[in-house]
Amino acid sequence: MRNFKSFSLVVFILLMFQEGNAQTYKIDASKSIINWVGKKITGEHEGTVNFRDGYLIFKDKKVTGGSFTANMTTLSNNDQTGSSKQKLEGHLKSEDFFNTANFTTATLVFKSIASKGNDTYLINADLTIKGITNSIQFDLVMIGKNKATAYLKVNRTKYDIKYGSGSYFDDLGDKTIYDDFEMNVVLAF
């Protein structure tokens, strides 16, 4: 029994030492933003989604983890005004798209990270939208100590967002909305 206690103490000390080297940096949600672009045959729309919270974990000055939660109820359109803006935002928040009444958040959790040099990391993560989780891969670029950026291309149909998709509906013509949407993310700490 004494050997078990000694072993447990050693394991505990090693874990504390490892955790002591890791630092968690919470994002400043008021200064961090997700800029999105959705494209269709006849043009595109762009807007933003705010973060609820998030953090990056560093060990020895290298990114080793991260998790982020977007507040989907803040989804907004930036290229229109007035009733057109309200109509598009309402449609994007409806069951046809992100169903924000039932799915108020979306999450991104880092699963593996590989350094590419020059403060750039290849991230493999789980992205959850509308309660559906899929793997996604993207580059995260650190800019100094207080900022990071990322570009993600997301196939919306993997998250049961099929409205206007030429992959699922025929004869849409110029009403076709492309399956992929883009996110340019700015993280401030």
Side-chain angles (χ1 to χ4, degrees):
M1 186 67 136
R2 186 166 190 231
N3 286 340
F4 178 73
K5 286 182 183 179
S6 297
F7 176 75
S8 296
L9 181 60
V10 169
V11 170
F12 176 75
I13 290 170
L14 287 173
L15 288 174
M16 291 300 290
F17 180 76
Q18 284 182 330
E19 288 176 9
N21 289 336
Q23 295 178 326
T24 301
Y25 290 91
K26 289 185 177 184
I27 64 166
D28 181 340
S30 68
K31 294 179 181 175
S32 301
I33 195 76
I34 301 166
N35 296 291
W36 60 264
V37 176
K39 297 179 181 180
K40 54 186 180 175
I41 287 180
T42 58
E44 64 183 46
H45 291 292
E46 61 185 58
T48 60
V49 177
N50 296 336
F51 282 99
R52 186 182 78 184
D53 55 43
Y55 61 86
L56 282 177
I57 300 170
F58 291 86
K59 187 171 181 181
D60 300 326
K61 299 182 182 181
K62 299 214 181 281
V63 176
T64 60
S67 179
F68 304 91
T69 302
N71 179 352
M72 294 304 292
T73 65
T74 66
L75 188 147
S76 67
N77 166 248
N78 295 344
D79 61 88
Q80 294 180 314
T81 59
S83 62
S84 296
K85 173 183 173 70
Q86 291 175 345
K87 183 178 176 183
L88 178 59
E89 288 176 358
H91 195 202
L92 291 172
K93 291 178 181 181
S94 77
E95 290 181 15
D96 284 343
F97 285 93
F98 293 97
N99 193 2
T100 62
N102 292 317
F103 301 98
T104 58
T105 62
T107 59
L108 180 77
V109 178
F110 291 7
K111 298 313 249 178
S112 67
I113 302 160
S115 176
K116 295 175 79 174
N118 297 325
D119 290 326
T120 301
Y121 298 88
L122 178 63
I123 308 294
N124 286 294
D126 283 344
L127 176 62
T128 303
I129 300 174
K130 291 177 61 175
I132 300 168
T133 303
N134 288 288
S135 296
I136 189 164
Q137 188 176 74
F138 60 93
D139 284 348
L140 175 78
V141 179
M142 295 301 303
I143 302 171
K145 294 180 180 179
N146 300 323
K147 188 175 180 184
T149 61
Y151 168 81
L152 293 81
K153 190 177 240 183
V154 180
N155 182 332
R156 65 188 176 94
T157 64
K158 291 182 175 183
Y159 301 92
D160 197 31
I161 305 170
K162 298 174 184 168
Y163 182 89
S165 168
S167 299
Y168 289 87
F169 302 100
D170 295 327
D171 302 323
L172 292 172
D174 64 1
K175 304 272 189 220
T176 300
I177 302 169
Y178 297 122
D179 292 345
D180 291 335
F181 68 93
E182 302 167 10
M183 293 190 290
N184 286 294
V185 179
V186 177
L187 304 171
F189 303 94

